[in-house]
C-alpha cells in the first residue's frame, strides 16, 4: 500500500467530558487518545497523518509535536477554525495539504482501540479500484445510538440510516452499524468533497453525505466490517474513557500473558501500549508501566510499583517503587518504597532499599543504598555500602554539586557528604560524620563532634523537673 493518508478528526469540543482540556488529550493507560490513533495509523502503513485540530488546538498540537517532531513519521496538524462539521473538517485538511491521490482513511481522534492491522486493511479496501469509499462498520452488542447500514444484494451500501430516523423494526433488525470512519479513493474524495452541502437543521457539512455523492457519480460504495466491534468504540464521556481503558488494559495484559508473563491479578495491572515485559516476569497487583518501559525476563514487578519511561534488565526485583526516566541493569533490587528520579542509573546487582530516593546518580555494580537515604548528583563505584540515613548534600540553595564515591567504600549510618565531595577507593566514613573535605583512598574519615559524658547529670536533671510541679 503506497501513498496512504490518515486524516484524524480531533477538532470537536467534547462537551460531555466536562473538561478544560481537549477530549483527545485524555489518556488511556498514560497515553493521550490522539496518539493511540496516530500511532496505529503510522504502524498501519499510512505515509502521512493529518490531525485536524480545533477546540484546544494548541494543546493537541503540542501533544503531536512532542511525540513526532523527531520521528520519521510525517505527522502534521491542520486547524479547522470554524467547526462546521466533519465534511468541512476533511475539506479543510485536503485544501491545506494538497492531498488528492492514494487511499485516504478518515478516523476519529477518540478511537483508541483501533489497531494498525485494521487500518491497513481499511486503506487497502479502496486501493484496488473496486470501491470509491468504504464505511467502517461494526456489530456491537447494543447498537443504540449508531447509524445503521443497509446493504444491497451485491454488498454495496444502499442506505445509511441514523438512529433517530430508524423505525422500530429497522432498529431491531439492522445490526450493521456505522462507526463514523471512512476510507476514500483520494482523487475522488478531492474531486467531490466540495459537493457536500449544509442543508440540515444544524447547518453543518456531514462527511457521510459523501457516500451518496459518490454513488450519484456511479461509484461503488461498500462496507468495511470490523469483526472486533471494540475497535469502533469511541469516547464521549468519562465513563466511556474508563470503559475503554479497561478494555485496552485487558487486551495488552492478555497479549503479555500469551508471551509468558505472569499476572497475579490482571485487572490490577496497568501496562501502557508502548511497554514490553520479558518472559517469566511476575507482575503483582497495582503495578503501572507508563510511557516507554522495557522490563526484562525473570523480574518481580510490584506490588504498588509505578514505572515511567524506565528500563530494567533481567532478574530485577522492583517492589513498591516509583521510577521515572531511570535505567536499571540486571539483578537490581529496589524497594519497598524506593523513589528513583530522572537520571538514575543502577548497575548490575545494585540495590535501592526502603525509603531511599536517588536522583541523577549512578549506583555502581553491587553497590547498596539499603535504607532511609538520599543520593543526588552522585557517581558511585562498585561494592559501595551506604549506611542508613546517609545523604549527599548536593544543593547549596542556588547550584547543584556533584559527589564522587570510589569503589569498595563503606559509609556509616547518618552521614552527610557535602558536595562537591570526593571519597576515594576503599575508604571508610564513620557513622554520624559530616564530610566536607575529600577523603583519600583507604582512609578512615571521622567528621563528628567529640563525645562528652557527665556522670550523674540525668538523675539531677529529672529531680529538678519533678520539683517544679
Amino acid at each position: 500500500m503506497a501513498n496512504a493518508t490518515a486524516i484524524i478528526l480531533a477538532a470537536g469540543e467534547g462537551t460531555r467530558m466536562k473538561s478544560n482540556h481537549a477530549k483527545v488529550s485524555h489518556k488511556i493507560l498514560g497515553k493521550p487518545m490522539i496518539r493511540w490513533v496516530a500511532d496505529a495509523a503510522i504502524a498501519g502503513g499510512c505515509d502521512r497523518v493529518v490531525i485536524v485540530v480545533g477546540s484546544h488546538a494548541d494543546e493537541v498540537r503540542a501533544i503531536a509535536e512532542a511525540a513526532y517532531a523527531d520521528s520519521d513519521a510525517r505527522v502534521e496538524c491542520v486547524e479547522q477554525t470554524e467547526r462546521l462539521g466533519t465534511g468541512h473538517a476533511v475539506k479543510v485538511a485536503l485544501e491545506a495539504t494538497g492531498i488528492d491521490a492514494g487511499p485516504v482513511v478518515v478516523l476519529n481522534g477518540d478511537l483508541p482501540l483501533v489497531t494498525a492491522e485494521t487500518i491497513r486493511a481499511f486503506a487497502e479496501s479502496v486501493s484496488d479500484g473496486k470501491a470509491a469509499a468504504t464505511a467502517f462498520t461494526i456489530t456491537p452488542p447494543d447498537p443504540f445510538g449508531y447509524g445503521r447500514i443497509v446493504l444491497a444484494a451485491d454488498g454495496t451500501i444502499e442506505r445509511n440510516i441514523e438512529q433517530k430516523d430508524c423505525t422500530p423494526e429497522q432498529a431491531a433488525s439492522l445490526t450493521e452499524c456505522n462507526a463514523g470512519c471512512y476510507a476514500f479513493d483520494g482523487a475522488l474524495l478531492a474531486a467531490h468533497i466540495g459537493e457536500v452541502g449544509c442543508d440540515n437543521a444544524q447547518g453543518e457539512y456531514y462527511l457521510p453525505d459523501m457516500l451518496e455523492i459518490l454513488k450519484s457519480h456511479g461509484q461503488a460504495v461498500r462496507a468495511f466490517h470490523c469483526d472486533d466491534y471494540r475497535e469502533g468504540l469511541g469516547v464521549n464521556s468519562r465513563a466511556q474513557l474508563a470503559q475503554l481503558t479497561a478494555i485496552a488494559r485487558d487486551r495488552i495484559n492478555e497479549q503479555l500473558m500469551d508471551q509468558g508473563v505472569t499476572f497475579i491479578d490482571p485487572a490490577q495491572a496497568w501496562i501502557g501500549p508502548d511497554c514490553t515485559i520479558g518472559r517469566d516476569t511476575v507482575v503483582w497487583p497495582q503495578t503501572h508501566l507508563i510511557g516507554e518501559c522495557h522490563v526484562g525476563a525473570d523480574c518481580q514487578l510490584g506490588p504498588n510499583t509505578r514505572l515511567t519511561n524506565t528500563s530494567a534488565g533481567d532478574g530485577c526485583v522492583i517492589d513498591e517503587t516509583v521510577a521515572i526516566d531511570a535505567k536499571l541493569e540486571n539483578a537490581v533490587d529496589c524497594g519497598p518504597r524506593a523513589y528513583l528520579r530522572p537520571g538514575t542509573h543502577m548497575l548490575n546487582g545494585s540495590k535501592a532499599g526502603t525509603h531511599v530516593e536517588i536522583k541523577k546518580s549512578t549506583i555502581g555494580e553491587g553497590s547498596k543504598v539499603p535504607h532511609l537515604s538520599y543520593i543526588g548528583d552522585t557517581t558511585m563505584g562498585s561494592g559501595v555500602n551506604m549506611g542508613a540515613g546517609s545523604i549527599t548534600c548536593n544543593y547549596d540553595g542556588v547550584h547543584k554539586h556533584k559527589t564522587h564515591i570510589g569503589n569498595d567504600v563503606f559509609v556509616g549510618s547518618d552521614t552527610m557528604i557535602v558536595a562537591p565531595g570526593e571519597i576515594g577507593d576503599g575508604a571508610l566514613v564513620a557513622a554520624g560524620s559530616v564530610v566536607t573535605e575529600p577523603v583519600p583512598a583507604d582512609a578512615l574519615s571521622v567528621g563528628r563532634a567529640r563525645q562528652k559524658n557527665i556522670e550523674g547529670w540525668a538523675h539531677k536533671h529529672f529531680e529538678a523537673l519533678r520539683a517544679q510541679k
Side-chain angles (χ1 to χ4, degrees):
M1 184 178 64
N3 301 319
T5 299
I7 297 176
I8 303 176
L9 306 183
E13 294 284 347
T15 54
R16 288 172 56 191
M17 294 293 290
K18 302 291 194 298
S19 177
N20 295 325
H21 301 279
K23 178 173 71 170
V24 298
S25 73
H26 288 265
K27 295 178 179 180
I28 301 278
L29 299 177
K31 181 175 181 175
M33 278 191 285
I34 188 65
R35 285 199 54 207
W36 284 74
V37 185
D39 284 355
I42 294 166
C46 293
D47 301 313
R48 194 174 188 182
V49 175
V50 180
I51 302 173
V52 181
V53 299
S55 177
H56 301 89
D58 290 344
E59 182 180 29
V60 180
R61 189 180 289 110
I63 291 171
E65 289 177 354
Y68 306 110
D70 298 326
S71 73
D72 295 331
R74 188 179 181 185
V75 180
E76 57 199 296
C77 292
V78 170
E79 186 165 358
Q80 184 188 18
T81 54
E82 291 185 280
R83 265 80 80 192
L84 301 177
T86 52
H88 178 256
V90 171
K91 186 172 185 288
V92 167
L94 296 178
E95 290 175 348
T97 59
I99 295 168
D100 61 0
V104 176
V105 292
V106 181
L107 306 167
N108 296 320
D110 63 349
L111 210 69
L113 301 182
V114 67
T115 65
E117 294 77 12
T118 294
I119 292 175
R120 184 184 300 277
F122 194 29
E124 289 174 347
S125 69
V126 293
S127 64
D128 58 5
K130 295 181 180 179
T134 57
F136 191 105
T137 65
I138 56 175
T139 307
D142 180 6
F144 182 81
Y146 288 94
R148 311 301 169 81
I149 297 293
V150 180
L151 296 177
D154 62 357
T156 58
I157 294 177
E158 186 174 296
R159 293 178 63 196
N160 176 49
I161 309 174
E162 296 300 325
Q163 171 71 42
K164 65 179 183 298
D165 298 323
C166 283
T167 65
E169 293 77 14
Q170 289 172 329
S173 62
L174 298 176
T175 60
E176 191 91 358
C177 296
N178 186 353
C181 300
Y182 304 91
F184 295 98
D185 177 286
L188 292 171
L189 175 64
H192 299 292
I193 189 67
E195 299 173 33
V196 177
C198 60
D199 186 16
N200 51 64
Q202 286 72 32
E204 293 188 353
Y205 300 84
Y206 292 129
L207 187 61
D209 292 351
M210 275 298 300
L211 302 182
E212 290 300 322
I213 291 170
L214 290 171
K215 286 171 62 178
S216 72
H217 287 281
Q219 300 294 333
V221 175
R222 298 182 179 274
F224 174 86
H225 184 78
C226 182
D227 291 336
D228 186 350
Y229 76 92
R230 299 175 300 178
E231 294 192 42
L233 298 180
V235 174
N236 291 300
S237 67
R238 305 281 182 155
Q240 290 175 340
L241 179 69
Q243 292 162 4
L244 267 63
T245 297
I247 293 172
R249 174 204 63 204
D250 293 344
R251 188 164 74 181
I252 289 171
N253 291 354
E254 287 169 6
Q255 291 172 347
L256 289 169
M257 286 187 282
D258 287 343
Q259 295 166 11
V261 178
T262 293
F263 285 81
I264 302 300
D265 184 351
Q268 293 195 64
W270 306 80
I271 313 300
D274 300 318
C275 300
T276 61
I277 303 177
R279 180 179 295 186
D280 292 321
T281 286
V282 177
V283 181
W284 289 81
Q286 292 305 313
T287 292
H288 305 253
L289 269 58
I290 302 167
E292 290 193 24
C293 292
H294 303 286
V295 178
D298 294 299
C299 294
Q300 296 282 329
L301 294 182
N304 304 322
T305 286
R306 173 163 54 90
L307 308 183
T308 303
N309 297 324
T310 291
S311 65
D314 298 335
C316 294
V317 176
I318 308 174
D319 179 12
E320 286 192 72
T321 293
V322 174
I324 303 170
D325 296 322
K327 180 179 180 181
L328 286 61
E329 297 188 358
N330 299 312
V332 171
D333 192 338
C334 294
R337 294 172 291 285
Y339 182 22
L340 309 182
R341 291 169 57 190
T344 296
H345 183 187
M346 301 194 66
L347 275 60
N348 292 334
S350 59
K351 177 181 178 65
T354 307
H355 298 295
V356 167
E357 180 178 347
I358 300 174
K359 190 264 314 185
K360 202 176 181 180
S361 297
T362 297
I363 309 302
E365 188 168 330
S367 292
K368 299 178 181 180
V369 188
H371 25 233
L372 301 165
S373 296
Y374 168 73
I375 305 297
D377 297 282
T378 297
T379 301
M380 185 183 299
S382 61
V384 174
N385 186 87
M386 300 294 294
S390 296
I391 295 175
T392 57
C393 307
N394 59 326
Y395 185 47
D396 63 9
V398 178
H399 303 103
K400 298 291 180 69
H401 300 278
K402 296 182 178 181
T403 295
H404 298 275
I405 301 175
N407 300 321
D408 302 312
V409 170
F410 185 92
V411 177
S413 297
D414 197 27
T415 293
M416 308 292 116
I417 304 171
V418 180
E422 183 82 35
I423 301 178
D425 293 346
L428 189 150
V429 180
S433 292
V434 177
V435 179
T436 59
E437 300 292 338
V439 179
D442 200 33
L444 167 65
S445 177
V446 183
R448 60 192 181 201
R450 184 179 296 278
Q451 182 174 328
K452 180 180 180 181
N453 299 328
I454 303 175
E455 298 282 343
W457 185 91
H459 175 74
K460 294 177 182 178
H461 172 71
F462 289 114
E463 283 292 325
L465 290 178
R466 283 190 284 270
Q468 295 173 7
K469 289 186 177 181

